[in-house]
Amino acid sequence: MGNGQWFPAEWPERIRALAEGTLTPVTPRRAATVMLVKDNEAGPVVHMLRRRASMAFAGGAYAYPGGGVDPRDDKQQIRWAGPTRAWWARRLGVDETSAQAIVCAAVRETYEEAGVLLAGPSPDSVVGDTTGDDWEADRAALVARDLSFAEFLDRRGLVLRSDLLGAWARWITPEFESRRYDTWFFLAVLPEGQRTRNASTEADRTVWIRPADAAAGYDKGELLMMPPTIATLRGLVEYESSADALAGAAARDLTPVLAEARLEGGEVVLSWPGHDEFTKHIPTGGASA
């Protein structure tokens, strides 16, 4: 493997089955993930976690906090600050209830997996500390789905700060994958006073790293990543501050990126439109190139 592109052993067989019409794609679940950024003396750094090697999906790969949408967040009344649900619906390319659920998933998953909460007691404030035992009990209840995010915010008297998020990209898991997600990538600046921690049972380590350094690690084959992760990292490299990156999110293209697989000249060609670096040529015998 010349770089750190995550490529499961079962993909060639599943790709061939899809190309031959013997594999029926599963419907992707809606999901959200968040690139948390902050500034240090060298410029912006991004928070990443490494998925445990035992995980069935992308084990050992570096990623961002994120996960699936909770259907309960579609329609529950949520105290909301920042752009309206209608604005987010237009930006994300979905209806208003779906937009609320996707934004809620981004904020909730960041809290569940990194201990960072993009919410505050008022529309212009953010909580400063979420490390107490009572906070941890609520976080655990959210993870277990014993508590909905709307109930959590209501119990705490908190307002969701949608203005602290910038929509960055949208990637859909390839049709040949057994676990599929329609994932919106967001960016957020770490709120003042809050600190990240490895709160996820799915990760064995977390790091703050310069996007350029993470990309270099991928290019050398030292850091394993899925295509959406390295693609979004490369998009961060150009920014000189976390505030600039958040401002730049407004101009990001959210056209969904979906891998394509086709049979061509005795091999399967796997490609991601607009991202030539991820193209794979897989001989029908099963080896990847």
Side-chain angles (χ1 to χ4, degrees):
M1 180 175 63
N3 56 31
Q5 183 175 344
W6 181 69
F7 192 85
E10 67 271 16
W11 270 16
E13 181 180 350
R14 295 185 64 85
I15 290 169
R16 285 193 294 273
L18 179 67
E20 293 165 358
T22 59
L23 175 68
T24 301
V26 300
T27 300
R29 292 180 54 203
R30 295 177 303 172
T33 188
V34 177
M35 301 181 290
L36 276 173
V37 295
K38 67 177 182 179
D39 294 320
N40 66 15
E41 63 279 359
V45 289
V46 60
H47 177 73
M48 304 190 75
L49 53 85
R50 185 176 66 186
R51 294 173 60 81
R52 294 185 183 277
S54 58
M55 296 297 295
F57 182 79
Y62 281 80
Y64 313 114
V69 166
D70 185 343
R72 294 176 296 180
D73 292 333
D74 275 17
K75 297 180 180 179
Q76 293 193 52
Q77 188 63 39
I78 292 174
R79 299 175 66 192
W80 188 279
T84 65
R85 293 163 179 80
W87 184 93
W88 277 109
R90 292 190 297 272
R91 179 69 177 123
L92 302 179
V94 297
D95 58 71
E96 289 189 31
T97 55
S98 296
Q100 173 177 291
I102 293 164
V103 171
C104 282
V107 177
R108 175 178 47 76
E109 288 287 341
T110 304
Y111 180 52
E112 287 182 7
E113 297 196 346
V116 171
L117 183 58
L118 305 176
S122 66
D124 57 358
S125 65
V126 181
V127 295
D129 185 7
T130 63
T131 59
D133 291 342
D134 57 334
W135 284 100
E136 179 57 25
D138 278 352
R139 192 196 66 80
L142 286 169
V143 172
R145 297 297 182 262
D146 294 333
L147 182 68
S148 75
F149 194 58
E151 291 168 339
F152 165 73
L153 293 176
D154 186 61
R155 174 189 296 183
R156 291 276 177 179
L158 296 175
V159 180
L160 183 149
R161 292 288 305 277
S162 80
D163 56 317
L164 300 182
L165 287 169
W168 195 264
R170 181 182 178 184
W171 287 67
I172 302 176
T173 308
E175 291 182 331
F176 49 81
E177 256 293 344
S178 57
R179 294 176 177 83
R180 299 191 65 213
Y181 300 92
D182 184 354
T183 304
W184 283 263
F185 285 72
F186 295 86
L187 182 138
V189 179
L190 180 69
E192 186 175 353
Q194 293 195 37
R195 299 166 61 183
T196 57
R197 59 191 178 92
N198 184 7
S200 173
T201 59
E202 299 180 354
D204 59 13
R205 73 176 300 223
T206 62
V207 295
W208 282 100
I209 187 170
R210 292 178 62 244
D213 292 340
Y218 168 90
D219 291 337
K220 296 174 183 176
E222 298 170 353
L223 300 182
L224 187 66
M225 297 181 203
M226 293 176 283
T229 307
I230 180 60
T232 50
L233 272 174
R234 294 202 196 285
L236 283 175
V237 170
E238 65 183 89
Y239 294 97
E240 297 183 355
S241 72
S242 56
D244 288 343
L246 182 59
R252 299 289 302 183
D253 182 8
L254 296 190
T255 301
V257 179
L258 173 64
E260 299 174 348
R262 66 185 186 276
L263 289 171
E264 185 178 287
E267 63 182 8
V268 175
V269 179
L270 173 62
S271 61
W272 280 258
H275 299 273
D276 292 343
E277 72 166 298
F278 304 130
T279 299
K280 289 279 186 179
H281 295 264
I282 307 161
T284 53
S288 63

